[in-house]
Amino acid sequence: MSDDTTDAPKTAPRARPKAADARALEQFLVRPDPSDPRLTQEVEGVDQDGQPVATRVVIERPLTIYLNNQEIVTAMTVADYPEYLAVGFLLNQNMLRADDVVTGIDHDDELEVVVVRTERETDYEEKLKKKTKTSGCAQGTSFGDLMEKFDEIALPGDARIKTSWLYSLTRTINATPSLYLEAGAIHGCVLCQEDRPLLYMEDVGRHNAVDKIAGYMFLNDISPADKIFYTTGRLTSEMVIKTVQMGIPILASRSGFTAWGVDLARQAGLTLIGRAKGKRFMALSGAERIVYDVDPHKLAEEDPKHQRKGSRDDG
């Protein structure tokens, strides 16, 4: 009997961890929705044997951000949470102040534009002339005076992170349904409190995912003092600067470090934890905040299929 399906594309296999516990998923205020049809699409191709294959890929879209009447930047992003992205970007570029009153946020999906309006009159024509590229993925953008307030920020010294929280967070986050597990080629950032992940944002560039969290925190008046920031990407200077600007005292990642990222973390008194996978991690700054409340030798090793690419090669 002939097989009529030999030419049909097969779905490319993706290693998937076990599903997260339902109770753990209920803890999130915001988490990825990999079933959203706006965010991924199926694309056909061929595999290493020349056989037809189909896989899901992330959809990039441009988003132009305005502050009042002034165009600020066009970012490549996925289509979710444009309002949070716009506000967070402006905050992290020091264009919005902590005491600014946002009077409106207008998003036009068809025009791919979001306008943030404030009570305070703004004009950043000179600042826009100092635009420079950053080390982040997807052509992240920073400005020449990005660090103008960096030295003025005092992070809370009494914040703590227990090793049991860290182990629990990494396992919960890796098992949470996400665009990464659906299609790959994306970064994630998670705002956490103790062992509870609160906000999980993803985007094609980790800087965008950070900005979405910053925007949500600003618009919902969430205090950063007792929070932990988790990222799937490298601990670069940009990641450290944005975490410090948000006032979050602890930054952790499954991936590795850059030298300038470590230097800035030490300068700011930020707890910087990297290569956190399974029962292992490394802290290169702010180790005094770590409470060792569990014996790692009694923990089971992490299943390799739970590991993101970034945890294996500092992706």
Side-chain angles (χ1 to χ4, degrees):
M1 181 181 294
S2 63
D3 186 352
D4 295 332
T5 64
T6 53
D7 294 331
K10 59 183 179 181
T11 301
R14 291 191 60 82
R16 294 175 180 268
K18 296 178 182 178
D21 184 272
R23 290 171 298 177
L25 295 181
E26 290 174 358
Q27 297 180 24
F28 288 90
L29 300 175
V30 177
R31 63 181 176 89
D33 181 9
S35 65
D36 188 333
R38 301 173 305 153
L39 306 184
T40 65
Q41 69 182 58
E42 187 170 277
V43 176
E44 296 182 358
V46 296
D47 65 11
Q48 66 279 351
D49 298 316
Q51 297 301 310
V53 64
T55 188
R56 299 206 68 79
V57 298
V58 172
I59 299 172
E60 290 182 89
R61 296 175 58 184
L63 180 69
T64 301
I65 299 172
Y66 282 78
L67 178 56
N68 295 314
N69 295 321
Q70 189 163 19
E71 180 179 339
I72 302 298
V73 72
T74 297
M76 296 305 299
T77 177
V78 295
D80 63 344
Y81 307 114
E83 296 88 349
Y84 297 144
L85 172 59
V87 171
F89 176 86
L90 295 171
L91 281 168
N92 283 329
Q93 301 299 335
N94 295 317
M95 293 184 169
L96 275 184
R97 302 171 184 168
D99 60 351
D100 268 330
V101 176
V102 174
T103 58
I105 305 173
D106 302 316
H107 173 236
D108 190 308
D109 188 62
E110 184 176 347
L111 295 178
E112 298 174 324
V113 167
V114 60
V115 182
V116 179
R117 307 184 189 281
T118 62
E119 281 187 355
R120 176 175 61 93
E121 185 177 346
T122 57
D123 182 3
Y124 286 104
E125 184 177 354
E126 289 301 316
K127 176 173 284 203
L128 290 169
K129 294 178 181 178
K130 301 186 228 179
K131 190 161 55 175
T132 58
K133 292 289 175 67
T134 71
S135 59
C137 300
Q139 296 191 7
T141 303
S142 185
F143 295 92
D145 54 355
L146 178 63
M147 293 183 62
E148 62 187 8
K149 297 180 180 178
F150 186 83
D151 293 331
E152 303 173 7
I153 299 172
L155 297 175
D158 58 352
R160 294 291 180 266
I161 177 170
K162 294 182 179 181
T163 54
S164 61
W165 299 347
L166 181 62
Y167 298 139
S168 175
L169 287 170
T170 57
R171 292 173 186 271
T172 298
I173 292 167
N174 289 336
T176 298
S178 64
L179 291 174
Y180 175 83
L181 295 178
E182 180 71 16
I186 203 159
H187 286 283
C189 290
V190 189
L191 183 72
C192 312
Q193 184 174 28
E194 297 185 351
D195 62 348
R196 178 190 176 191
L198 302 175
L199 307 174
Y200 187 170
M201 299 289 193
E202 292 183 295
D203 214 299
V204 288
R206 56 182 164 266
H207 46 274
N208 287 347
V210 178
D211 290 342
K212 288 177 183 177
I213 289 179
Y216 187 99
M217 292 175 67
F218 178 84
L219 293 173
N220 292 276
D221 197 25
I222 294 178
S223 170
D226 59 345
K227 302 302 187 293
I228 301 164
F229 198 89
Y230 177 93
T231 177
T232 61
R234 295 180 294 271
L235 296 171
T236 64
S237 57
E238 181 187 28
M239 288 301 303
V240 169
I241 291 169
K242 289 192 172 187
T243 303
V244 171
Q245 286 182 321
M246 288 189 287
I248 300 172
I250 300 164
L251 172 61
S253 173
R254 294 175 65 86
S255 194
F257 312 81
T258 68
W260 194 20
V262 173
D263 288 344
L264 289 173
R266 291 175 175 177
Q267 177 183 330
L270 174 73
T271 296
L272 193 66
I273 300 172
R275 299 175 184 167
K277 48 188 176 180
K279 58 186 180 181
R280 298 174 178 84
F281 67 84
M282 181 181 298
L284 298 187
S285 175
E288 66 278 0
R289 290 195 181 94
I290 301 174
V291 178
Y292 297 86
D293 68 330
V294 66
D295 183 355
H297 300 290
K298 295 182 180 180
L299 296 175
E301 289 286 356
E302 185 178 38
D303 190 317
K305 70 181 180 180
H306 289 198
Q307 296 181 7
R308 286 175 174 258
K309 176 177 180 293
S311 72
R312 297 192 295 272
D313 62 9
D314 286 352

